[in-house]
């Protein structure tokens, strides 16, 4: 991954879920693998009490039963543990746009939980574009895993997540994956609609921001005048900051205004953009 400049300093959250029934608004297991700068940060697997009934058809697929999850944490408890991996990261999964992200979205709605902006790469879409033409293969996860000798215990959320990581790397090996394959998840709109700012607008916004925070650099404290200037920058560049490349900067500035201080690591993060 280190050879892909657009992934430099980015966190990738590989993600898979299993559902208890066909309503697709609850989750009974979650697998996560978090990678940053090509280095594995964490691997996590959770059984989740969906507070819902299980359809025998789905249990037959993933082998998770009502009894197995009755004493497990509910989704809001798990979300508090994992939501950090969905903020300022690129979420990667297989068939994310049709399965996992819509269900995650419905779960957040069901419990009245605020939804983060999610930027994603779907290995099903990537594989159809880059692997299928090259190898002439079907792009479901089982077929891809078998073809590339990637271990897979299908419909175990963590095993599916590991296989997705393997398939993602195979797509990167084609040398054709670009930042244009990163999408912003917008459940109420066409997934092809996403905001991708012109690099000249980004450069202009970042040059302005760099000038604003130079004065903060000495003492790290933000005075009232600087707060007003930063708030104006946020308002002026709100649309530009919906581009995934600046969402981290936007959130950092918002948090710094709330705290009244810009920490040295936050300054480094902003000035390195």
């Amino acid at each position: 991954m280190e050879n892909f400049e657009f992934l430099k300093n980015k966190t990738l959250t590989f993600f898979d879920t299993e559902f208890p029934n066909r309503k697709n608004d609850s989750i009974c297991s979650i697998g996560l693998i978090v990678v940053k700068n090509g280095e594995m940060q964490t691997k996590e697997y959770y059984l989740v009490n969906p507070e819902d009934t299980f359809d025998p058809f789905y249990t037959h697929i993933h082998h998770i039963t009502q009894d197995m999850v009755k004493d497990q944490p509910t989704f809001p408890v798990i979300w508090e543990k994992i939501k950090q991996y969905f903020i300022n990261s690129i979420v990667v999964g297989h068939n994310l746009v049709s399965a996992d992200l819509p269900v995650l979205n419905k779960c957040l709605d069901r419990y009245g939980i605020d939804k983060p902006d999610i930027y994603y790469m779907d290995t099903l879409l990537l594989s159809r574009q880059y692997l299928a033409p090259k190898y002439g293969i079907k792009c479901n996860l089982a077929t891809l895993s078998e073809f590339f000798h990637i271990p897979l215990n299908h419909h175990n959320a963590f095993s599916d997540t590991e296989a997705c990581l393997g398939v993602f790397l195979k797509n990167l090996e084609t040398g054709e994956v670009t930042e244009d394959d990163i999408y912003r998840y917008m459940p109420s709109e066409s997934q092809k609609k996403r905001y991708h700012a012109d690099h000249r607008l980004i450069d202009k916004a970042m040059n302005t921001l760099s000038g604003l925070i130079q004065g903060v650099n000495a003492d790290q404290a933000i005075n009232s005048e600087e707060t007003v200037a930063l708030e104006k920058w946020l308002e002026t560049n709100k649309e530009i900051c919906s581009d995934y490349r600046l969402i981290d900067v936007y959130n950092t500035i918002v948090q710094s205004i709330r705290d009244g201080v810009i920490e040295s690591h936050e300054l480094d993060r902003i000035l390195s953009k």
Side-chain angles (χ1 to χ4, degrees):
M1 296 184 200
E2 60 272 12
N3 295 326
F4 288 81
E5 188 65 26
F6 73 95
L7 294 177
K8 186 178 180 181
N9 297 323
K10 294 291 186 295
T11 300
L12 302 180
T13 298
F14 293 85
F15 167 62
D16 186 75
T17 61
E18 296 296 333
F19 326 132
N21 55 53
R22 66 184 73 250
K23 290 189 294 184
N24 291 340
D25 63 356
S26 58
I27 292 171
C28 60
S29 69
I30 297 174
L32 284 170
I33 297 176
V34 181
V35 176
K36 186 169 184 178
N37 291 332
E39 297 292 329
M40 197 85 67
Q41 301 291 309
T42 187
K43 297 180 179 182
E44 297 182 17
Y45 174 73
Y46 298 97
L47 286 175
V48 185
N49 181 348
E51 299 185 290
D52 207 344
T53 58
F54 276 70
D55 186 323
F57 174 79
Y58 283 76
T59 293
H60 178 73
I61 291 174
H62 51 54
H63 307 297
I64 300 172
T65 66
Q66 191 105 42
D67 192 58
M68 289 170 62
V69 300
K70 65 180 182 180
D71 296 323
Q72 297 298 323
T74 59
F75 176 79
V77 175
I78 299 298
W79 181 248
E80 279 300 308
K81 296 180 179 180
I82 67 174
K83 66 180 180 181
Q84 60 181 310
Y85 305 132
F86 291 80
I87 299 171
N88 302 328
S89 70
I90 300 169
V91 179
V92 187
H94 202 79
N95 200 22
L96 268 183
V97 68
S98 297
D100 302 279
L101 286 181
V103 174
L104 176 64
N105 185 66
K106 289 179 181 178
C107 277
L108 293 169
D109 280 340
R110 178 184 174 194
Y111 289 101
I113 301 172
D114 290 339
K115 291 179 280 192
D117 287 328
I118 292 181
Y119 293 84
Y120 73 92
M121 301 178 80
D122 192 324
T123 53
L124 175 61
L125 303 181
L126 293 176
S127 299
R128 285 174 175 170
Q129 186 170 353
Y130 303 122
L131 297 181
K134 184 175 182 179
Y135 297 104
I137 54 175
K138 293 182 179 180
C139 293
N140 59 75
L141 189 60
T143 299
L144 290 167
S145 298
E146 182 178 5
F147 185 85
F148 291 112
H149 306 290
I150 298 169
L152 175 65
N153 177 17
H154 205 8
H155 298 299
N156 171 283
F158 186 75
S159 182
D160 284 357
T161 301
E162 287 187 306
C164 174
L165 172 56
V167 170
F168 183 74
L169 294 175
K170 289 299 178 182
N171 276 280
L172 291 188
E173 286 177 11
T174 67
E176 298 181 68
V177 180
T178 71
E179 67 181 1
D180 287 333
D181 294 303
I182 301 171
Y183 288 82
R184 183 182 181 188
Y185 183 64
M186 296 177 288
S188 61
E189 302 179 46
S190 167
Q191 292 303 315
K192 292 186 177 180
K193 293 181 181 178
R194 64 192 176 113
Y195 187 74
H196 193 84
D198 186 291
H199 70 88
R200 290 168 295 187
L201 294 176
I202 290 179
D203 290 344
K204 182 179 179 181
M206 288 307 299
N207 287 337
T208 301
L209 179 60
S210 295
L212 291 176
I213 65 175
Q214 290 302 323
V216 185
N217 198 13
D219 57 9
Q220 299 182 0
I222 306 174
N223 61 37
S224 57
E225 191 175 302
E226 291 163 342
T227 298
V228 170
L230 289 173
E231 288 176 341
K232 183 177 181 180
W233 184 91
L234 289 174
E235 183 61 32
T236 301
N237 296 287
K238 187 173 183 179
E239 184 178 27
I240 295 173
C241 287
S242 66
D243 187 295
Y244 84 94
R245 291 168 289 181
L246 287 188
I247 193 69
D248 186 27
V249 171
Y250 185 89
N251 289 337
T252 299
I253 294 299
V254 169
Q255 189 60 50
S256 296
I257 290 174
R258 289 174 181 166
D259 297 341
V261 65
I262 296 182
E263 302 289 349
S264 58
H265 68 89
E266 293 173 328
L267 276 170
D268 292 342
R269 186 188 309 163
I270 294 168
L271 294 173
S272 67
K273 294 291 181 180

